[in-house]
Every structure is written in C-alpha cells, then in structure tokens.
Amino acid sequence: MEGGWDQARQISRRLGHALSGAGRSTARATRAAVRASKATAAGTARAGLATARGARKVGLATRRLTHADGADRTGLGRLIELSAANSACDALVTIALASTVFFGVPVGEARGSVALYLVVTMLPFALLAPFIGPILDRFRSGRRYVMAGTLFGRGLLCFAMAAAVGPGDLPTLFVGALGVLVLSKAYNVSRAAIMPSVLPADITLVSANARVALFTLVSAGLAVPVAAGLTAWLGSAATLRVAMVAFLLIGVVAVRLPRHIDSPDLEEEGAAPRWRTLLKVGPAVAEAVWANLAIRVFSGFLLFFLLFLVQDEQVPWLAGTDPLIDVTRTIALLAAAAGLGGLVGAAVANWTRNHSPQVIVLVMLGVTSVTAVVTALLFGVWTALAVSLVTAFAQELGKLALDAIVQREIGEEVRSSTFGVVEAVLQLAWVLGGLVGLTMSLTESSTAGLVTLGAALTAALAWLLVSRRGRLRAAEARAAGRHLADDDSGAGHEGADRAGERTEVIDRTKPLTNPHG
C-alpha cells in the first residue's frame, strides 16, 4: 500500500513538473509571439511611413513638373492635374466594362461584339457632334461648371452601371458606356478650348498640349493595372463604384479652377449661333484635320486587324514552336509598343517649341505611310511592333499639333464648336478604320491589308502635298499681284504729285511775269 502511494506521489510530481515546464514554454512562446507581433507592427508602420514619404516625394516632384515655366500662375498646372485624374477615372471605367463584356468571349463571337461596340460608339458622335460644340460655346462664361458637370455626370452613370453589372443588364451598360464616352469627349473639348486662356508666356500651344497628354497617358497607364487588380479582387461593380467616387471628387476640383478660365460672352444677345464644319475652318485647319483623319483610320485598322490576326494565329511567328512567343505575349507586346509610342509622341511634342505644327502633321502622315509599306513588305513580329509604336507616336504628335493649329487659327467664340466637330470626325475615322480592320482580318492575309492601307495613306499624303503646293502658289500669286498694284498706284500718285508741284510753280510765276493779267 505504501509503495502504491509513493508511486502516485512520484507520478503527480512528474506531472506537475511537466505542466510547469509546459507553462513556462507557453509563456516563452507567448512572449516571443508578442515580440514578433510588435516587430511586425513596427515594420508595417515603418513600411507605411516609407510609402507615405515616397508618395509625398513623388507628389512634390509631379507638382514641380506640372507647375513649371509659370504654369502655376496661369492655372495650367491645375488643369494638367485635373486632366490626369480624369484620364485615370476613364481607365477605371474602361477596364471594368471590358472585363464585364469582352473577357472570355470566343473569337468568332468577339468579332460581332466588337463590331457592335464600334457601331454603337459611332452613333452618339454622328448624332450629337453638331450640338456639343455650339452648346459649349454658349457657356463660355461657365466653362469650369461645364467641365465639372461632365465629371459629375460620369459619376452618376458609373453608379447606374455598377447596379446593372450584377443582373447583367446589358442595355443599361451600353447606354451608360455611351454616356460616359460622350461626356468624356465633352470634357476634352472644353479642356482644349480653354488652353489658350491658361497658356504661360514661355510655353507654346504644342508644348502645353503635350504636357497635358503626357500626364494623362502616364496616369492612365498607372490606373490600368490598379483597375485590373481591383476588378479581379472585388469585381467590376466595385471598380465602377470607385470610379464614381473619384469622378465626384475631381468634379469638385474642376469647380475650383481659376476664374479667368471663364471668358465673357462677347456675342450679341439674340445672335444666331455660328456652326462649324470642315468647310469653314480655313485651309490650315482643314489640312491638319485631313492628315489626322488618315492617321486615325490606319490606327483603328491596325488595332483590330493585328488583334484578330494574332488571336486566329494567322501571323508567321506563331506558326513556329517557340514557347516564348504565344498569343497572350504577342498582344501584350503590341499594347506595350502602342503605349510607348504615345508617351514618346507626347514627350517629343513638348520639345518641338519652334517648329511649325502644319509641317509636323504632314511629316507624321509621311512617317506612318512609309512604316506601313515597310511592314507590309517585311511582316514579322519586330515590324508589327514597330508599326504599332510608330502609329501611336504619329497619332499622338499629329493630334497635339492639330490642337495647337485650331487653338491658334479659330476664334474663341467658336473654338468649342470646332473642337467638337474635329473630335467627332476623328472618332468616326477611327471607328471606320476599326471596321475595315475587322473585315480584312477575315482574309487572314497580313500583306493584303497592310498594302491596301499603306497605299491609301500614300495617296492621302500626295493629295495633301499637291493641294498645299497649289495653295502656296496661289497665295504667292496674290501677294505678287498686290505688290504690283501697290507699285502702280504708288507710281501714279508720284506722277500726280510731281504734276501738282509743277502747276504750283507755274501759278506762282504768273503774277511775276504778268502782274496785271
């Protein structure tokens, strides 16, 4: 019996030691966990502070760039920042809608969906383009509020589209997308029309437009991966709601733009509105518009032509067995080349301070024509990337030069009307080129499509050069005729003056020779 009690006491003693050891181990583990959590929290706090400091430095550097060369005094810097935020919000909407409608669609069905999208994109401009510009011209004294209204309107449309994503209400999505597109173009028209009002003395119109384009492209490029990640994580509806909040916030910023952006209404009350068409903008603007139209047609054609050729694997580099070059990587490379071309075009435009915008437009059309012909003859992955980069470069630089020509040649009272027509016809040209690209991609021949468009671009360039030469010769002839007329008129006046002087001399001599006569 006593032996049993001794064994029980030993077992209890061992159990107590084990429990106390386990308690001490648990306490040590708890203290280690606390220390680790504190270290993690401290590291997170340090990382957050470093991120905040980095974001602050980036913000200050961006502010120095946007407000350089007197842009802070005239309001150009704030307009650049507003346009960059507007571009980022448009990118959010685009990614959200693309993931809703187009991702995962088979190639055969995607052609029909894209064609429908292009046609629906074209309709509002064909119907509303004649009215957007004159309406904006009527509100020149409240351009800040017009720009803010386009932002608030897009915010409300994003709210409606977010509600339509869940039940799959396609009519609401399409109508909302059209409304966002129209209001976005109205914002761009208003922004382009007020550019001369915020232009510093040391910056040309081409450079100012280039700064806006450069920052809008960068902000859109940064917003695209954020929007894609947000859409993959939370869905399209959440992305649209984020865009709604952002649109509403930057709408408030638009109202707080400088007041001198709002120009006084100088037209007489009751006067009929002046409507702008391509036949009334003058030869310089018309020439730049036609050149940009040719580039836009080729840009739309190239995008959809290459896209569906690659998806159908009808390009030579996908016929091999190279695992590093597939459909997804090819599309990514083409998109990267186009984005880089746009950035380079905006950067180069900022450097072309003393060059004629008319010459820039024609040179861009010539470069695009040559690149299209070379790509058709030597079609491959590198030439496809080159033509994508050059076309985006020419489209960006040519459009910036066109904006500068319109801002210089067109009076403020009809500038918005002119920009409205220009934006509409350029959008229609891009849509037309996209439809041509969709159609010619069915032939599954890269050479035929590129040769056709290259020949069309060359013909357009030749026509513009011949027209320009004829116009310059006519202007020289008129100037020479006026010079001869001035010389003849001057000689006639000189002869009359000399005759008058001789008559005066004779009259003065009469009393001396015949005082009694």
Side-chain angles (χ1 to χ4, degrees), residues 256-303:
R256 298 176 61 85
L257 286 172
R259 291 187 177 182
H260 64 263
I261 288 177
D262 301 331
S263 60
D265 295 326
L266 300 179
E267 290 183 316
E268 297 180 0
E269 295 183 0
R274 296 172 60 183
W275 298 80
R276 278 281 171 182
T277 65
L278 289 181
L279 301 177
K280 299 179 181 178
V281 294
V285 177
E287 179 183 84
V289 169
W290 287 116
N292 275 271
L293 283 176
I295 297 174
R296 284 298 179 96
V297 169
F298 184 71
S299 175
F301 162 83
L302 189 68
L303 172 63

Side-chain angles (χ1 to χ4, degrees), residues 76-164:
L76 176 61
R78 295 170 66 179
L79 182 63
I80 292 174
E81 294 167 355
L82 178 66
S83 299
N86 170 75
S87 178
C89 292
D90 282 340
L92 291 175
V93 176
T94 301
I95 296 299
L97 293 180
S99 63
T100 302
V101 179
F102 295 111
F103 281 8
V105 179
V107 174
E109 297 179 8
R111 277 190 173 87
S113 299
V114 173
L116 177 62
Y117 172 76
L118 291 176
V119 172
V120 172
T121 301
M122 181 174 59
L123 287 178
F125 290 99
L127 298 175
L128 299 177
F131 305 100
I132 292 177
I135 291 174
L136 296 177
D137 281 331
R138 284 293 184 181
F139 291 96
R140 295 198 312 275
S141 60
R143 280 173 173 162
R144 292 178 299 158
Y145 302 102
V146 171
M147 296 173 69
T150 62
L151 295 166
F152 291 144
R154 276 179 282 173
L156 296 178
L157 289 173
C158 287
F159 176 78
M161 289 188 292

Side-chain angles (χ1 to χ4, degrees), residues 327-346:
V327 173
T328 304
R329 290 188 178 92
T330 300
I331 293 176
L333 288 174
L334 292 174
L340 179 61
L343 286 175
V344 174

